[in-house]
Amino acid sequence: MLRFRSLAVAAALATVALTAAPAVSAPADDPSIAAALAAPTRTAAVPTALLHAMQRDLGLAPRAAADRIAREGRAAAVQSALTRALGDRWAGAWIDGPQSELTVATTDPSAARTITAHGGRATVVQHPLTVLDRVKDALDRASGTAAPDATPLWYVDVRSNTVVVQSADDARTAAFLDASGVDRSLVRVEPATAAPRPLADLHGGDAYYIDNAARCSIGFPVTQNGQPGFVSAGHCGQPGSNATTSDGASIGTFQGSTFPGNDWSWVAAGADWTAQPQVNDYQGGAVTVGGSTETPVGGAVCRSGSTTGWHCGTVEEQNATVNYQEGSVYGVTRTNVCAEPGDSGGSFISGNQAQGVTSGGSGDCTSGGETYFQPVNPILSTYGLTLATG
């Protein structure tokens, strides 16, 4: 089975409210926004291994790490509710500051006043997220299957209300932007800092091996109509590829896989395996998965992989496009967590909420780097899978 020993333990999370901002005299004129700000807080025990990793990688004491998880769990719930309440007035949200304060961007000044009147933080911006997403979608279409080598990454930057395009060659990037037909006033070009690559490896999460050759890491155990299995990265294997343990024992077969375009896959395991709702903490225990609520930009996130174990950092951007040599991968989340070859497919988790599977990145866990993950919810939806939770 997909075996991970469980870890009994940890500190309970307190219920917290959005950090208050100075109230204004404007009336609370949108009940749906007020209701969204009162979204329920998820609570869970904080696994000891996660606390230790956050202390090491984010410079936090255990109590401070537990408090941060609690605040960010609250912020994630509020973000999800406000996305629905604001509709086409929604322009994104992000977490920052020592108290993990959630800032909400909207194009509607009256909505901002309502948010502020109810103790939230709001900022009024020019472009709704739907407009910026359309710009990014146009770049994705322009990239086709041949990723432009001068532009390794683009993403919607909710903090600046623009689409950021990284460039290693200004002339070629400008030509690509012109060909895409996007409104250049919505694009900000920045120098490329690294050349990302998928994190597969040919030598030795839990680890698994593909056709007795390459090694990747299990993302999250799942079921499909009762059949156990797991999700991972698409570049790890093709439909029909065999997944085995380090000693050659069969786990199962890749049922679906996409790369490039997306970087996701799912492996159906044999009946003698069990999809446990846990992530290896590489300290002899496991972190139990409670759900898959997406954490906001700026939120803390940790990664488990079979090469480097457990590492943490923060979400830098969501819905980014990363351009590997093999082609473009869309809809990834960019983080400042390190990773190395063999960590591919492994779990990204925030608190007890599954976030996604490791795709690729740059740098390493000695000098530091950045890593991209494919969010887990679209994978579950694509293949009709149920995340194992406990």
Side-chain angles (χ1 to χ4, degrees):
M1 29 184 198
L2 305 179
R3 298 180 185 275
F4 300 100
R5 284 180 291 169
S6 58
L7 180 66
V9 148
L13 298 187
T15 298
V16 297
L18 264 180
T19 301
V24 296
S25 58
D29 55 359
D30 193 329
S32 65
I33 295 176
L37 289 168
T41 303
R42 72 173 191 249
T43 59
V46 184
T48 297
L50 189 149
L51 294 177
H52 289 167
M54 291 180 72
Q55 183 177 12
R56 179 196 64 207
D57 295 338
L58 298 176
L60 299 173
R63 182 67 257 174
D67 289 344
R68 177 166 179 170
I69 293 171
R71 289 191 295 269
E72 293 183 0
R74 164 70 175 153
V78 170
Q79 172 180 256
S80 179
L82 280 173
T83 303
R84 296 188 296 271
L86 288 170
D88 58 11
R89 299 172 294 167
W90 172 256
W94 58 91
I95 291 171
D96 57 19
Q99 296 303 310
S100 299
E101 297 163 341
L102 181 71
T103 298
V104 177
T106 177
T107 57
D108 183 356
S110 66
R113 286 195 296 271
T114 301
I115 292 168
T116 304
H118 283 270
R121 300 180 65 194
T123 184
V124 179
V125 297
Q126 183 176 359
H127 309 294
L129 192 59
T130 52
V131 168
L132 299 180
D133 283 343
R134 283 197 293 270
V135 172
K136 181 188 171 294
D137 291 345
L139 296 175
D140 290 349
R141 289 192 299 272
S143 70
T145 56
D149 56 9
T151 51
L153 178 73
W154 53 78
Y155 54 87
V156 173
D157 183 3
V158 293
R159 290 182 175 94
S160 67
N161 199 228
T162 60
V163 175
V164 172
V165 174
Q166 288 194 356
S167 173
D169 184 305
D170 289 347
R172 284 190 290 167
T173 297
F176 170 68
L177 292 175
D178 289 341
S180 72
V182 299
D183 182 347
R184 292 290 296 272
S185 69
L186 298 176
V187 173
R188 188 172 84 252
V189 177
E190 295 183 346
T193 57
R197 82 287 187 195
L199 296 174
D201 200 0
L202 295 178
H203 55 271
D206 259 5
Y208 70 95
Y209 293 78
I210 304 92
D211 294 332
N212 296 313
R215 171 172 58 85
C216 278
S217 301
I218 290 172
F220 293 96
V222 297
T223 58
Q224 186 190 73
N225 300 321
Q227 181 174 20
F230 62 86
V231 294
S232 189
H235 69 264
C236 290
Q238 299 297 315
S241 294
N242 294 315
T244 62
T245 63
S246 59
D247 59 5
S250 175
I251 298 175
T253 305
F254 280 77
Q255 301 299 300
S257 177
T258 301
F259 178 79
N262 299 113
D263 192 6
W264 60 41
S265 62
W266 99 274
V267 174
D272 55 337
W273 292 78
T274 299
Q276 298 286 1
Q278 296 172 330
V279 174
N280 192 337
D281 69 5
Y282 284 91
Q283 295 188 19
V287 174
T288 299
V289 177
S292 57
T293 300
E294 184 179 69
T295 198
V297 169
V301 67
C302 297
R303 179 194 57 72
S304 179
S306 60
T307 298
T308 60
W310 196 253
H311 288 273
C312 300
T314 57
V315 171
E316 299 296 292
E317 287 88 24
Q318 295 166 332
N319 193 23
T321 293
V322 60
N323 297 305
Y324 301 127
Q325 184 176 3
E326 296 85 347
S328 302
V329 176
Y330 313 119
V332 297
T333 297
R334 182 189 185 202
T335 75
N336 61 8
V337 185
C338 70
E340 296 180 11
D343 288 327
S344 277
S347 322
F348 265 89
I349 191 165
S350 177
N352 71 341
Q353 299 294 302
Q355 299 297 307
V357 300
T358 302
S359 173
S362 57
D364 55 41
C365 288
T366 300
S367 60
E370 60 183 30
T371 303
Y372 311 100
F373 69 79
Q374 190 86 71
V376 70
N377 287 327
I379 309 175
L380 302 177
S381 176
T382 296
Y383 295 123
L385 305 172
T386 299
L387 181 69
T389 60

